[in-house]
């Protein structure tokens, strides 16, 4: 038998390219296996490394409605297709923690293409947009031809790379109240740019609620709210009347807050860092982000 030479297998991928949101929802419902693609900065990596061979892809880049943002009933509604660059340029004053996190994502090219909707869709424990959404009390808007629903981000993300979205649903937007107080985000990486977080921390001060919210990234299977640290610092701010006096938070309280932040972690050893290093780094991030944010808050 003659040698047939190298065999090249070509797998056809059907590309569905809706022009409108209604068409996108109808196509997703009719083709639940179709993988949505927005900026493609996660999906294309999966394809290139052959970790995914979808029969169909749903290209959302022509759906203009996904790139809109606006104010809806006092909340910001930010379309799933709004890029990191636009979050930084257009929403930095209203969503400071998310904007700082966005500045740490990848490179200018990745920030131009990558979207917060894509970060939600991937639901990686290291997704940098996620902890800021937790501390801002964000809700994810999911849509299907049968209707839309809003889910708190902590209920949307159910595990590492798992979400509560149904197969027929797309992420339409996220909803978030504009920041009422100072916010921060800090991330540890093995270098300054183009780096997946070893660990990260988002923090938001809510003066009207007399509360501080903190959420850890890349320190467990999902972003992790630091609830004990939050309760501790709320007590300190009240008992020492710091909301009224606007005095700085004492060193011992900052240190204890950092320890409690670290205590909320469920870190693992991996190529990016050891569990012990992550815990140490989170205690430092807790202390620093709180002191930066409180300084901004009390001087405002
Ligand atoms: C070089 C490089 C550096 C990176 N650096 C960082 C970093 O520093 N921090 C970080 O967090 N991430 C980083 N990433 C990962 C990636 O850029 C982000 O996760 C980004 O937010 C993904 O957005 P996207 O629009 O490109 O998503 P896509 O790749 O298009 O999609 C991601 C996932 O979301 C789904 N999806 C997208 N839109 C929708 C929708 N509307 N409805 C339902 N599902 C949807 C897709 O099906 C897919 O599962 C990096 C990636 C690369 C290649």
């Amino acid at each position: 038998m003659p040698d047939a030479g190298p065999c090249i297998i070509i797998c056809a991928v059907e590309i569905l390219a809706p022009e409108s949101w209604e068409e996108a929802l109808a196509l997703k419902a009719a083709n639940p296996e179709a993988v949505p693609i927005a900026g493609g900065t996660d999906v294309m990596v999966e394809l290139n490394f052959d970790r995914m061979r979808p029969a169909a892809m749903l290209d959302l880049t022509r759906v203009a409605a996904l790139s809109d943002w606006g104010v809806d009933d006092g909340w910001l509604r930010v379309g799933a297709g709004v890029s990191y660059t636009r979050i930084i340029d257009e929403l930095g004053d209203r969503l400071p923690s998310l904007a700082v996190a966005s500045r740490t994502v990848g490179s200018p090219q990745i920030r131009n293409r990558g979207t917060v909707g894509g970060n939600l869709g991937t639901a990686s424990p290291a997704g940098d947009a996620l902890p800021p959404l937790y501390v801002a009390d964000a809700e994810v808007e999911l849509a299907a031809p049968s209707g839309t629903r809003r889910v708190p981000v902590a209920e949307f993300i159910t595990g590492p790379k798992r979400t509560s979205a149904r197969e027929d649903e797309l992420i339409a937007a996220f909803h978030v109240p504009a920041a009422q107080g100072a916010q921060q985000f800090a991330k540890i990486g093995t270098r300054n740019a183009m780096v997946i977080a070893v660990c990260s921390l988002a923090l938001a001060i809510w003066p009207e609620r007399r509360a501080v919210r903190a959420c850890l990234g890349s320190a467990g299977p999902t972003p992790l709210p630091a609830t004990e640290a939050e309760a501790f610092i709320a007590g300190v701010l009240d008992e020492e009347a710091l909301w009224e006096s606007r005095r700085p938070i004492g060193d011992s309280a900052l240190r204890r807050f950092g320890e409690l932040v670290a205590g909320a972690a469920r870190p693992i050893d991996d190529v990016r860092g050891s569990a012990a290093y992550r815990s140490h780094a989170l205690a430092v991030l807790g202390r620093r982000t709180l002191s930066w944010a409180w300084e901004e808050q009390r001087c405002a």
Side-chain angles (χ1 to χ4, degrees):
M1 197 159 142
D3 181 4
C7 168
I8 299 171
I9 300 172
I10 298 174
C11 302
V13 180
E14 190 182 2
I15 305 293
L16 308 168
E19 302 276 344
S20 71
W21 183 230
E22 293 68 30
E23 196 189 345
L25 294 179
L27 283 169
K28 183 64 175 149
N31 306 271
E33 77 294 347
V35 174
I37 178 167
T41 60
D42 276 326
V43 168
M44 292 311 297
V45 174
E46 294 296 293
L47 290 179
N48 288 343
F49 282 95
D50 212 13
R51 293 195 285 245
M52 182 200 273
R53 279 291 139 212
M57 299 195 69
L58 183 64
D59 176 6
L60 297 172
T61 53
R62 289 176 186 76
V63 180
L66 284 176
S67 308
D68 288 342
W69 68 262
V71 180
D72 181 18
D73 203 14
W75 284 48
L76 287 165
R77 180 187 183 278
V78 183
V82 174
S83 68
Y84 293 108
T85 300
R86 287 186 57 212
I87 299 274
I88 297 164
D89 292 347
E90 299 169 30
L91 289 164
D93 54 341
R94 289 174 248 213
L95 303 175
S97 180
L98 183 59
V100 178
S102 299
R103 279 192 207 105
T104 76
V105 171
S107 60
Q109 295 90 337
I110 297 294
R111 293 193 287 274
N112 286 341
R113 295 289 308 178
T115 64
V116 177
N119 213 240
L120 284 162
T122 296
S124 160
D128 285 320
L130 306 179
L133 294 181
Y134 275 61
V135 297
D137 272 358
E139 294 178 2
V140 180
E141 181 184 325
L142 296 167
S146 54
T148 63
R149 61 186 177 120
R150 275 166 66 164
V151 185
V153 65
E155 289 171 29
F156 174 74
I157 294 177
T158 53
K161 304 204 170 182
R162 286 203 308 273
T163 75
S164 57
R166 295 193 314 259
E167 267 202 329
D168 65 338
E169 286 179 321
L170 290 172
I171 304 167
F174 65 90
H175 296 248
V176 71
Q180 295 172 3
Q183 295 188 349
Q184 275 294 343
F185 174 86
K187 164 175 167 181
I188 303 262
T190 48
R191 56 184 183 191
N192 269 348
M194 292 285 281
V195 70
I196 303 175
V198 173
C199 59
S200 69
L201 187 72
L203 184 138
I205 297 182
W206 291 82
E208 284 171 22
R209 297 185 196 171
R210 298 172 76 87
V212 174
R213 299 280 312 279
C215 182
L216 290 62
S218 220
T222 64
L224 296 171
T227 44
E228 274 191 54
E230 292 170 353
F232 165 75
I233 201 63
V236 170
L237 294 174
D238 272 339
E239 283 155 26
E240 299 186 13
L242 297 184
W243 293 109
E244 292 74 23
S245 70
R246 294 175 170 253
R247 278 187 290 110
I249 299 171
D251 282 347
S252 65
L254 287 174
R255 260 199 312 280
R256 183 67 190 137
F257 179 78
E259 285 165 13
L260 290 170
V261 162
R266 290 158 58 195
I268 53 166
D269 293 319
D270 67 12
V271 285
R272 296 198 300 281
S274 66
Y277 176 72
R278 285 188 160 98
S279 293
H280 167 77
L282 283 162
V284 176
L285 293 187
R287 207 168 65 224
R288 285 192 189 157
T289 53
L290 179 59
S291 72
W292 294 334
W294 184 250
E295 197 57 22
E296 189 186 325
Q297 185 67 39
R298 75 191 190 86
C299 297

